[in-house]
Amino acid sequence: MGRPTEVPEALGTPTTSSNGDHRTGAAASGTLLADVSQPAWGPSTAPPDGAVDGPGDRTGPAPHPEPGPAPDPASAATPAPPAADDTPSAADDPTPPDAPAPHPAPRAPELAYTAPARKLSTGRRGPADPVKSLMYRHRELCERAVDPLEIAAGLEAHGVTDRTAARYRHRDVFSLAEELFARVPGVAGEPVGASFAPARDIETRAAWSLRALLPGAACLATFVALRLTEGVLDGGARLAIGSGGGLLAFVGLALALRTGPLCADGRSSGAAGLFGCWLLGYVLYGDALLHQLLSGGPEGPWDITPAPLLGLAVAVAPAAWCAHLFSVHAHRKLNGSRALEEFAAGVRPLLFAAVAFFLCALGGLLYLAGLGIGGGGSRSGAAALGVLLLLARLLTVHGFPEPAATGLAAACAVEVAAPALVLAGRLPGLDAVARPVEALIEAAGTGAVPAVACGAAALGLLTTATVALSRASAHTAA
């Protein structure tokens, strides 16, 4: 019985795999640490015929390595001095050509393969679908919309601009509205903008047109009755006729403003109504009051100027038709436009045309009223007041009551300040306060005060309306 053959350390400690295959430590991890010079079989397994084992052209079974003396630890720990030449020659190489290539040192199987480290992303990653949050936020608007432009108008009313749409990966608000309209299924019911769509049937038009004629008809009937009863009835009876006619005119005006294209659906404030009443009252009494204050009065009752008020009352019907035509053509532009900028560019000329048409109609009515009734009065001031009231009503109808009330309040403030400054100028040392009003009246008459007050306010409201009414959200429900 001979001593068992020892295996050199270079071949590693034999291991047994799960299938019973006896391999060395290096061979067990050979799939991960494969060397081109190491055969795919172990040292105890014969290679197939014709295979080459190591350098040379030898065939046949690989011989078992002979046992040798154990290496000296001291000599193995001392490194050899480097050669003088960086490239060693073949004569200096102590390794024989037939020696097998050295095996790599054995390693633990779990360290044989190291996965590459993943690159951690430090930046914040946005949502995969950024439109979804906007879709949930405005779901009711998207469900009840009948057109993408209605969604675009609603988004615009909520402050969504083209720059905001870029954060949702869209070029503008309209393209974002198209995606929302396509992704959110509609529900059956009344469309969002149905309450703002102008009526197109003939019966409805005839109904609100007749209501718009009521204020003018009441005023005209009152003035005719006063003219016929002049010198026949006493002052008390004539005052009753005038008061009754004025009450009927206000009732007719209220009916005209509650239905039709001038209907504001409760958006008008009570303050705006008070401002309007003051402005109409100044048309009757303002010029005569200023004239008496400048002449040292007031002294007793002053005359009234009814002709401008009659022209304004009859002009309610043209104002309603101008508002109706503006709404109809604005909705047509809304349905035919492909972008909000295109819609705005088409609505601005419509607004200017509506205001210009109403101004021409009002000018003609004021001229006819002056010819029929007489009594003086400033036509320019009444015309400026008519434009101011039309613009204020348009802004209120389309959802902007605050600037409308502000414009009316500014005109009232100027008309109140004019007689107040004249009275303040009578105090000692304050005569310079009344000089601007006196200079204006001397240059253009007492009618210049309402013309300047209402004209400046109307110009401000026209500027505001040009911006506000050119938005798509002004013509659809928010």
Side-chain angles (χ1 to χ4, degrees):
M1 295 295 290
R3 195 172 59 178
T5 305
E6 296 181 1
V7 182
E9 288 183 359
L11 297 179
T13 306
T15 58
T16 304
S17 62
S18 61
N19 56 3
D21 186 13
H22 296 276
R23 295 171 182 251
T24 62
S29 59
T31 56
L32 301 177
L33 299 175
D35 190 273
V36 294
S37 62
Q38 175 66 24
W41 52 84
S44 62
T45 306
D49 294 339
V52 179
D53 184 16
D57 295 336
R58 296 176 298 168
T59 59
H64 291 280
E66 294 294 335
D72 188 6
S75 61
T78 305
D85 192 0
D86 294 339
T87 306
S89 60
D92 298 335
D93 189 2
T95 305
D98 295 339
H103 293 279
R107 294 196 294 178
E110 63 272 9
L111 299 178
Y113 176 75
T114 304
R118 293 183 178 180
K119 183 179 180 181
L120 298 178
S121 177
T122 58
R124 295 185 63 183
R125 185 175 300 175
D129 190 2
V131 185
K132 185 176 294 185
S133 61
L134 193 68
M135 181 176 62
Y136 288 142
R137 192 181 310 161
H138 304 283
R139 189 173 188 85
E140 184 178 356
L141 170 66
C142 299
E143 287 177 346
R144 297 192 176 276
V146 297
D147 189 86
L149 266 177
E150 291 190 6
I151 300 179
L155 295 178
E156 184 188 33
H158 285 85
V160 179
T161 61
D162 291 341
R163 182 177 297 180
T164 309
R167 298 203 301 263
Y168 294 96
R169 304 171 187 173
H170 285 272
R171 66 181 183 274
D172 52 22
V173 178
F174 182 76
S175 62
L176 178 61
E178 282 185 334
E179 180 177 350
L180 292 175
F181 183 76
R183 293 178 61 176
V184 179
V187 295
E190 185 183 1
V192 176
S195 60
F196 284 84
R200 293 178 173 83
D201 57 292
I202 298 177
E203 294 181 359
T204 304
R205 289 180 180 179
W208 58 255
S209 297
L210 290 176
R211 294 189 187 98
L213 290 173
L214 289 179
C219 287
L220 183 61
T222 302
F223 290 133
V224 170
L226 290 175
R227 180 64 59 90
L228 293 177
T229 58
E230 185 177 1
V232 178
L233 299 177
D234 56 359
R238 289 172 58 84
L239 180 61
I241 293 175
S243 301
L247 181 61
L248 288 177
F250 274 103
V251 171
L253 180 62
L255 291 176
L257 297 181
R258 290 178 65 88
T259 58
L262 296 179
C263 177
D265 287 335
R267 296 184 183 89
S268 180
S269 61
L274 292 177
F275 297 149
C277 291
W278 169 268
L279 294 173
L280 293 175
Y282 192 90
V283 170
L284 280 175
Y285 301 103
D287 292 348
L289 175 61
L290 275 178
H291 181 74
Q292 288 199 10
L293 290 177
L294 291 174
S295 61
E299 298 175 357
W302 51 84
D303 297 332
I304 62 174
T305 53
L309 184 62
L310 176 61
L312 289 172
V314 179
V316 175
W321 272 99
C322 289
H324 172 72
L325 293 176
F326 173 72
S327 298
V328 168
H329 289 283
H331 277 81
R332 290 178 182 175
K333 289 289 184 181
L334 182 64
N335 295 329
S337 300
R338 295 296 303 168
L340 297 177
E341 293 79 6
E342 179 184 353
F343 171 75
V347 167
R348 293 188 190 101
L350 294 177
L351 177 63
F352 296 149
V355 173
F357 180 78
F358 174 73
L359 185 59
C360 293
L362 179 60
L365 291 174
L366 290 174
Y367 178 75
L368 293 177
L371 290 179
I373 297 180
S378 173
R379 297 178 186 173
S380 59
L385 175 59
V387 174
L388 173 63
L389 294 176
L390 174 65
L391 290 172
R393 198 62 187 179
L394 283 177
L395 286 172
T396 304
V397 167
H398 291 280
F400 301 95
E402 293 82 7
T406 302
L408 295 177
C412 289
V414 175
E415 290 184 353
V416 169
L421 291 177
V422 172
L423 291 176
R426 298 179 180 179
L427 298 177
L430 295 179
D431 54 343
V433 175
R435 287 178 185 175
V437 180
E438 294 174 354
L440 179 62
I441 294 175
E442 289 178 1
T446 55
V449 173
V452 171
C454 298
L459 184 60
L461 287 188
L462 181 61
T463 305
T464 304
T466 303
V467 178
L469 300 185
S470 62
R471 300 174 58 184
S473 57
H475 303 273
T476 56

